[in-house]
Amino acid sequence: MSTISEKELSDYRSDAAAWFAENTNADPGFMLPLTFMEVGTDQQFNFLREWQHKVYEAGYLGAAWPKEYGGGGLDQKFQTIATEEMAKANGPIMLNAIGLNWAGPLILDMGTDEERKRYIKGILSAEDIWCQGFSEPENGSDLGNAQTKAVRDGDDWVLNGSKIWTTQGNYAKYMILLARTNPDAPNKYAGLSFFLSPMQVDGIETVPIRKLTGEYGFTQTFFTEARIPGDSLMGKEGEGWLVAMRTLEYERGVKGGQPGGYVMRASDPFEIVELARKATRGGKPALEDPVIKDQLIQLMIEARSLQLNSKRGHIQPLVQDKPASLALSSKLMATEFMRRLNEFAITLQGQRGAYYVGEPDAYDEGLWQRAYLNSFSATIGGGTSQIQRNIIGEHVLGLPKS
């Protein structure tokens, strides 16, 4: 077994730091999205697509994915270093979030060799953008009750129905899709199948959804007699529920294997210190208010705790009794923490907290207001906080089903 020396890691870090210092453009002259769920203009999309492609070509994305499918074939330690240096350079987010973090790991995990060869490189290079077809207009996040139908017709499948909250659906080339293939199955789960569906076929239409922030990023997708190839089916017909549950394990952070980078810009309590110096309370900087100072310190402690919990999740002896417990609770705590953190940043601005992006009197160009409104989407995606609490209660704590 080969071992990696500290010098190899140190040299790699130096190279990565130099590359990101030279190539990162965090301010292209227009507003960049805070997360992959707010990519709403062609300008943002093209910029982020080029950025992801550039990082991949340099070897700093997918460094630990198998070489035969387009990855770098290196140890995960190298990818971790690359992502750290990317963050230090304040690099923009990775665009193809669903491809990188859910579809890609899923295909490497459960796909065939042919599927891996067909899809993985395009996911890493951002040539092929992926979206997710799980939620439906009438059924919300109740995946087991999905009503979009897929009917076999010769060599093809014919789709009818609708999906909603499909992030980047208008840009996607492929969708990971859960559809009902047998309405007469003995239970609702047995009648579902999982597809790696092409999006650019007749009968598939996406309609952008404008959000509370004024931005786009979500779409509703309509399927009307849409014909997709038979080999779009992943796994066996009627076993889609099992594949969907594995997908959610990646989405909720229970399973690792993602290719690095990050798809969300997390707010930092240390950045609020600067805001608290500018904002005023009773004619003085808000930072001089002992209550504000105490609240800020509490938020810093929470932020540090979340970071340490994330590191604990990678130490096997600490999680061997309940392997999913930290990952499940981290998703819940981190998303709710971000919502509270941004809310606090607005509160300390006083009346000026009412200003938004584009208004001259807004602190930091309305960053905190925008981040607060956007933070709700992360508490819903992959299962709402309420669902997450139920999962933790039932599967980690062993409580009876509610």
Side-chain angles (χ1 to χ4, degrees), residues 44-60:
Q44 292 173 328
F45 176 82
N46 291 331
F47 176 85
L48 291 174
R49 187 181 212 175
E50 183 181 342
W51 167 244
Q52 182 181 322
H53 183 77
K54 196 172 179 178
V55 175
Y56 167 66
E57 286 293 310
Y60 297 124

Side-chain angles (χ1 to χ4, degrees), residues 148-291:
T148 294
K149 292 182 175 58
V151 177
R152 190 90 194 199
D153 184 17
D155 291 335
D156 298 333
W157 292 92
V158 178
L159 304 174
N160 281 285
S162 180
K163 298 288 181 177
I164 199 165
W165 313 127
T166 40
T167 305
Q168 295 178 29
N170 49 331
Y171 292 116
K173 184 175 181 180
Y174 296 105
M175 169 185 277
I176 46 175
L177 170 68
L178 191 64
R180 190 161 298 282
T181 49
N182 182 5
D184 302 318
N187 62 68
K188 62 182 183 180
Y189 306 110
L192 296 167
S193 296
F194 196 95
F195 296 89
L196 306 175
S197 171
M199 289 286 285
Q200 294 159 12
V201 301
D202 291 341
I204 299 181
E205 179 190 9
T206 59
V207 177
I209 298 173
R210 192 180 189 197
K211 298 185 294 186
L212 186 63
T213 63
E215 299 170 286
Y216 292 88
F218 294 147
T219 64
Q220 183 168 357
T221 305
F222 297 92
F223 303 91
T224 307
E225 297 295 314
R227 186 174 288 271
I228 62 174
D231 63 2
S232 302
L233 177 70
M234 184 178 188
K236 296 180 180 176
E237 182 178 344
E239 295 185 357
W241 184 250
L242 296 176
V243 185
M245 290 302 99
R246 183 66 64 87
T247 309
L248 287 179
E249 289 183 2
Y250 288 109
E251 185 172 356
R252 291 167 176 162
V254 175
K255 289 186 72 70
Q258 290 80 5
Y262 44 82
V263 296
M264 304 179 76
R265 299 291 305 175
S267 299
D268 185 340
F270 287 91
E271 293 173 344
I272 300 181
V273 173
E274 294 304 314
L275 174 64
R277 287 196 175 100
K278 292 182 288 187
T280 57
R281 283 285 178 91
K284 297 180 179 178
L287 192 59
E288 294 183 13
D289 184 326
V291 176

Side-chain angles (χ1 to χ4, degrees), residues 232-384:
S232 302
L233 177 70
M234 184 178 188
K236 296 180 180 176
E237 182 178 344
E239 295 185 357
W241 184 250
L242 296 176
V243 185
M245 290 302 99
R246 183 66 64 87
T247 309
L248 287 179
E249 289 183 2
Y250 288 109
E251 185 172 356
R252 291 167 176 162
V254 175
K255 289 186 72 70
Q258 290 80 5
Y262 44 82
V263 296
M264 304 179 76
R265 299 291 305 175
S267 299
D268 185 340
F270 287 91
E271 293 173 344
I272 300 181
V273 173
E274 294 304 314
L275 174 64
R277 287 196 175 100
K278 292 182 288 187
T280 57
R281 283 285 178 91
K284 297 180 179 178
L287 192 59
E288 294 183 13
D289 184 326
V291 176
I292 294 289
K293 197 175 289 185
D294 182 66
Q295 290 172 324
L296 257 175
I297 291 170
Q298 290 298 323
L299 290 168
M300 289 174 181
I301 292 171
E302 279 191 68
R304 183 62 177 153
S305 299
L306 288 169
Q307 289 174 347
L308 293 176
N309 260 352
S310 178
K311 291 183 183 295
R312 286 174 60 204
H314 298 291
I315 302 173
Q316 184 59 25
L318 296 179
V319 295
Q320 61 185 2
D321 290 341
K322 296 183 182 297
S325 58
L326 268 179
L328 287 170
S329 59
S330 291
K331 192 268 183 188
L332 172 65
M333 291 190 294
T335 55
E336 290 293 337
F337 173 72
M338 279 300 141
R339 184 185 57 74
R340 288 190 291 109
L341 183 69
N342 291 311
E343 183 179 27
F344 172 75
I346 296 172
T347 301
L348 68 80
Q349 296 176 31
Q351 292 182 339
R352 289 180 66 174
Y355 293 116
Y356 196 63
V357 174
E359 295 179 294
D361 289 329
Y363 283 117
D364 298 333
E365 301 178 333
L367 165 71
W368 300 102
Q369 288 80 344
R370 178 182 172 221
Y372 172 66
L373 294 179
N374 277 325
S375 65
F376 286 89
S377 56
T379 66
I380 297 171
T384 64

Side-chain angles (χ1 to χ4, degrees), residues 21 43 80 98 130 280 321-322 374 382 392:
Q43 191 178 42
T80 301
I98 292 170
W130 286 68
T280 57
D321 290 341
K322 296 183 182 297
N374 277 325
I392 293 169

